[in-house]
Amino acid sequence: MGDFGALDNIPALWSLFEPGWWNRMLDSTTSGHPSPEALILTVGIFGLAFAVIAAGFLIKIRIGNSDASPTTWIVRPGEIRALLDTALTQRSKMRMSFVRDDPGARSTDATILSVDPARGIELEMTSLVRATQGWVGKLVACDFRLRLDPRKDYHSFYNFVSSIQAVRLANDDFVHMTLSWPKHLELEQKRAFLRVEPPRSFVLELELWHEVAIKQVRGRFGNPATWGQPLLRLDPRLEPPAMEVRNLSGGGVRLEVEGELLQGHKALFEPSNRFLMRLVLAEPEADQPLEFFLALRLQNAYGDPGTAGKKAFGLRVLSFGVPADAPGGDVLSWKPAATGVPPLDDWAFRRHLAMYRSRGE
């Protein structure tokens, strides 16, 4: 039984926890004479403290490394497959375009022939599109729309970025192209302008007013000094800010706002509501920042307004303010933005080009 000699010590160990062991441990500790009970308690306390610290450190690492997807992203593989299958069933056209700074960039429409996560997305387009093998490996932005509820005359727009895997001439009339399977889809309003995600340091100031609130204080749209207190104001000193510009273009702005800022104002952030915005952007190529005054319509609201957390809002530019010509009158004169806001579109293009080059692409 020599192999099991260690078991002979079990009664001795168990005796440490008999009635009165706590008092014996305290007596031995205060008298300066160590005891097995004191040793066990000391090791246990330090072991527990170490375990708690290690667990907290691991949790912090996991939370710090977890990148929450934007509220407009669709990332679940099953949902991506279902939406692309629906696009195939509804025979939705897919509009593709290269990046704007590509000399040969232009958009073209294609028909979806098949969708499969293993093989990718196969498209068909007219042979008038001069697709070449030089396109293989290039990134393209793809837009399509779906009518998800047949009872409503309303379309949802989706966007994704993918790479071209193959190009071949099917016959004299059609070109077939295969795209890689997207990692996520993005719910969008229809894109008409190049969008960029500006770094936080480039958005210097942002103030947002509701159109009705300006009318209530008898403000004049041509004079921002009469608009009163803004409904929302970006504070770049907060980290992270409670409100951010997620992307912008010459035709629109998307804001991401902490739900706490919307308390008491949720009814104002419904689609079709109109706002005025003052936006100041850093311009490294110039000596001073650029200031924009924009009249916007809320197109899309993302995120459940009844829950906590961030909400995202897509706003389309209806018109933009320029310095008024008449002296002594209104400060601004408003121009329609049917073709976007040219200075803002140029700013977005410069930022896109700078970020594109900084990645070495």
Side-chain angles (χ1 to χ4, degrees):
M1 300 296 290
D3 294 338
F4 299 95
L7 298 177
D8 297 336
N9 294 326
I10 289 179
L13 293 173
W14 181 253
S15 66
L16 296 176
F17 300 98
E18 292 177 349
W21 71 274
W22 176 259
N23 292 331
R24 293 198 302 274
M25 187 274 294
L26 290 178
D27 292 340
S28 63
T29 302
T30 54
S31 63
H33 300 289
S35 69
E37 293 94 337
L39 180 62
I40 291 173
L41 182 63
T42 302
V43 172
I45 291 175
F46 279 99
L48 180 61
F50 178 79
V52 171
I53 293 173
F57 183 70
L58 291 175
I59 291 173
K60 182 177 180 180
I61 290 178
R62 292 195 61 178
I63 293 176
N65 291 340
S66 62
D67 294 326
S69 298
T71 54
T72 56
W73 281 21
I74 298 159
V75 297
R76 292 196 296 268
E79 191 172 355
I80 294 174
R81 176 66 186 268
L83 289 170
L84 290 172
D85 280 339
T86 303
L88 175 62
T89 303
Q90 294 185 2
R91 301 181 64 84
S92 297
K93 294 288 186 182
M94 187 167 289
R95 174 157 292 182
M96 303 187 310
S97 60
F98 293 107
V99 293
R100 179 176 168 178
D101 51 307
D102 190 319
R106 63 176 60 189
S107 63
T108 185
D109 290 338
T111 301
I112 305 174
L113 294 181
S114 66
V115 294
D116 185 272
R119 297 193 302 269
I121 303 171
E122 187 178 6
L123 305 174
E124 181 181 77
M125 60 196 69
T126 174
S127 59
L128 294 177
V129 177
R130 299 189 178 184
T132 69
Q133 292 302 314
W135 287 17
V136 175
K138 286 184 174 290
L139 292 177
V140 287
C142 303
D143 295 90
F144 64 97
R145 70 177 188 174
L146 298 177
R147 186 173 179 178
L148 298 178
D149 189 343
R151 298 167 299 177
K152 297 180 180 179
D153 186 19
Y154 177 80
H155 289 86
S156 298
F157 292 89
Y158 298 89
N159 173 272
F160 66 90
V161 175
S162 181
S163 62
I164 300 174
Q165 292 184 324
V167 176
R168 65 183 179 88
L169 184 64
N171 52 47
D172 292 339
D173 298 320
F174 298 103
V175 172
H176 285 190
M177 179 182 297
T178 304
L179 305 180
S180 62
W181 193 256
K183 294 181 179 179
H184 72 268
L185 303 181
E186 188 168 359
L187 181 62
E188 295 280 3
Q189 60 260 39
K190 189 173 181 180
R191 292 192 174 200
F193 304 92
L194 176 71
R195 298 185 185 188
V196 295
E197 299 180 7
R200 290 176 181 170
S201 59
F202 277 69
V203 183
L204 303 180
E205 297 180 50
L206 189 152
E207 295 173 310
L208 190 72
W209 291 263
H210 194 277
E211 183 183 76
V212 173
I214 294 177
K215 293 179 179 178
Q216 289 175 344
V217 297
R218 297 184 179 181
R220 302 196 313 275
F221 293 134
N223 187 356
T226 66
W227 294 355
Q229 290 296 318
L231 179 64
L232 296 176
R233 175 184 280 121
L234 183 146
D235 187 348
R237 296 170 298 178
L238 296 180
E239 184 60 38
M243 179 172 66
E244 290 189 81
V245 176
R246 300 307 298 176
N247 62 51
L248 73 152
S249 71
V253 181
R254 176 180 295 158
L255 300 179
E256 194 169 83
V257 184
E258 288 288 352
E260 290 79 2
L261 292 183
L262 304 177
Q263 295 297 326
H265 305 299
K266 293 177 181 177
L268 301 179
F269 288 88
E270 295 290 337
S272 78
N273 274 271
R274 295 171 182 263
F275 299 86
L276 293 182
M277 177 185 292
R278 175 178 172 266
L279 178 65
V280 181
L281 301 173
E283 178 60 288
E285 294 82 6
D287 295 333
Q288 58 184 8
L290 299 178
E291 183 179 43
F292 297 93
F293 291 93
L294 309 172
L296 310 111
R297 179 182 185 271
L298 180 58
Q299 292 289 101
N300 291 309
Y302 309 99
D304 185 356
T307 60
K310 290 184 177 180
K311 309 292 182 281
F313 302 100
L315 301 118
R316 180 169 66 91
V317 179
L318 301 177
S319 56
F320 60 100
V322 297
D325 295 332
D330 286 337
V331 178
L332 299 176
S333 174
W334 292 91
K335 290 188 174 183
T339 58
V341 184
L344 184 56
D345 191 41
D346 292 340
W347 184 92
F349 175 59
R350 289 193 295 272
R351 298 287 68 75
H352 170 77
L353 191 58
M355 289 185 285
Y356 185 77
R357 288 171 174 168
S358 69
R359 295 194 298 263
E361 299 177 356

